[in-house]
Amino acid sequence: MIRIEITAASRIGCVRHQNEDMILVDSHFIRNDDYKTLVTLNHDDRFVVAVADGMGGHNRGDVASSDTLRSLQFYYHDIPTGLNPSDFNEAIVGWLDYINNFIASKGRADEQYKGMGTTLVGIAYYYGDFYSMNCGDSRLYRWRDGQLKQLTTDHSLSNMLGTEKHTSIITNCIGGGCNTSFIDLVKITDDIQSGDCFLLCSDGLTDMISNEQIASLLAEEADANALCNAAITEGGFDNVSCCLMQIK
């Protein structure tokens, strides 16, 4: 049995007029709000948490992030039981193909949705195993024993060029006209310890505050709402969404 304390918050920031981010915590969708829960997972359970950052440079990024998370929530709980890691990976890739085609077809049918896209970062629990999921430049961190470690790799131009300064140009996403979308799916079960805290966030957090600032806030036991507020205090140039998962 595993107990996880979760806080999640998604804020509009100081510049944009609408929030294109969204958070999924199993069956709850969070946008312009915050959420807190304590979940208990047994071996045969399944559970998914994800952050989607709708692409602000494209039409209706808010729709892309919402469509993606609602599709993931439905699809994930419909995956057959008892899959091995290879078959589970195949199921997630199958979902990625589906949601990409769905978003593309929506754009072909209605001009206002043309080119919309979103990133996705998440943690999935499936029959005793934890998996990280990443498509784009939203991030997953682990906070353990006073150390903050990024577990995902940014699919971004700045990362490809090896530059520290982050840009909004991404090289992989869901929708957004990307014809070669892929998802990094990594089994992380063996690297999870009691007391670990996992942070999922959009780049609205990491563009505003440094890893050192994030670590300092986590050391002070900040929740997701406090992290969002810190990014907004620093300027809030983008929407900001955070989800913290504390392994109890």
Side-chain angles (χ1 to χ4, degrees):
M1 181 184 296
I2 300 172
R3 295 171 64 243
I4 306 175
E5 186 177 274
I6 299 173
T7 66
S10 180
R11 303 295 184 198
I12 199 168
C14 302
V15 176
R16 298 188 184 275
H17 299 295
Q18 67 176 358
N19 191 352
E20 296 180 318
D21 291 1
M22 183 176 274
I23 301 172
L24 167 66
V25 179
D26 199 45
S27 60
H28 297 269
F29 300 91
I30 302 103
R31 174 180 280 163
N32 301 326
D33 201 359
D34 57 81
Y35 178 71
K36 186 179 297 184
T37 189
L38 178 66
V39 300
T40 300
L41 300 176
N42 295 306
H43 181 274
D44 293 340
D45 291 333
R46 60 181 72 188
F47 186 81
V48 63
V49 172
V51 172
D53 181 355
M55 295 167 62
H58 295 267
N59 294 337
R60 305 311 304 269
D62 59 323
V63 175
S65 60
S66 177
D67 284 352
T68 295
L69 291 186
R70 293 182 189 280
S71 170
L72 175 63
Q73 194 274 338
F74 176 83
Y75 186 95
Y76 186 73
H77 287 280
D78 202 42
I79 292 175
T81 62
L83 298 182
N84 61 38
S86 177
D87 290 338
F88 180 75
N89 180 85
E90 187 175 331
I92 296 298
V93 170
W95 168 76
L96 179 67
D97 289 341
Y98 165 78
I99 191 60
N100 263 314
N101 289 331
F102 176 81
I103 288 178
S105 65
K106 204 165 186 176
R108 289 191 295 268
D110 191 330
E111 186 69 21
Q112 70 169 316
Y113 300 125
K114 186 177 181 180
M116 68 178 181
T118 184
T119 67
L120 177 80
V121 66
I123 289 181
Y125 179 81
Y126 176 83
Y127 289 87
D129 283 319
F130 285 94
Y131 297 84
S132 67
M133 303 183 294
N134 180 51
C135 179
D137 65 347
S138 294
R139 292 179 177 178
L140 170 65
Y141 291 91
R142 184 190 65 213
W143 171 253
R144 175 190 290 169
D145 297 333
Q147 300 294 319
L148 185 69
K149 180 180 180 180
Q150 183 177 341
L151 300 183
T152 52
T153 299
D154 294 349
H155 303 153
S156 65
L157 181 61
S158 54
N159 187 59
M160 285 182 62
L161 297 176
T163 59
E164 291 187 9
K165 183 175 176 58
H166 178 259
T167 72
S168 59
I169 301 174
I170 59 177
T171 56
N172 181 40
C173 66
I174 295 172
C178 185
N179 297 320
T180 56
S181 297
F182 62 92
I183 191 164
D184 293 334
L185 185 70
V186 181
K187 184 179 173 183
I188 59 173
T189 312
D190 294 338
D191 196 32
I192 290 180
Q193 300 177 10
S194 178
D196 284 351
C197 184
F198 293 90
L199 166 64
L200 302 89
C201 62
S202 63
D203 63 359
L205 178 74
T206 52
D207 281 352
M208 290 291 99
I209 62 175
S210 66
N211 285 356
E212 290 74 19
Q213 289 172 293
I214 294 173
S216 178
L217 287 164
L218 293 178
E220 297 170 1
E221 299 185 351
D223 62 7
N225 203 39
L227 289 172
C228 288
N229 287 338
I232 291 171
T233 298
E234 290 296 320
F237 295 158
D238 197 355
N239 307 310
V240 55
S241 297
C242 304
C243 182
L244 284 171
M245 301 176 59
Q246 177 82 44
I247 310 297
K248 307 299 285 188

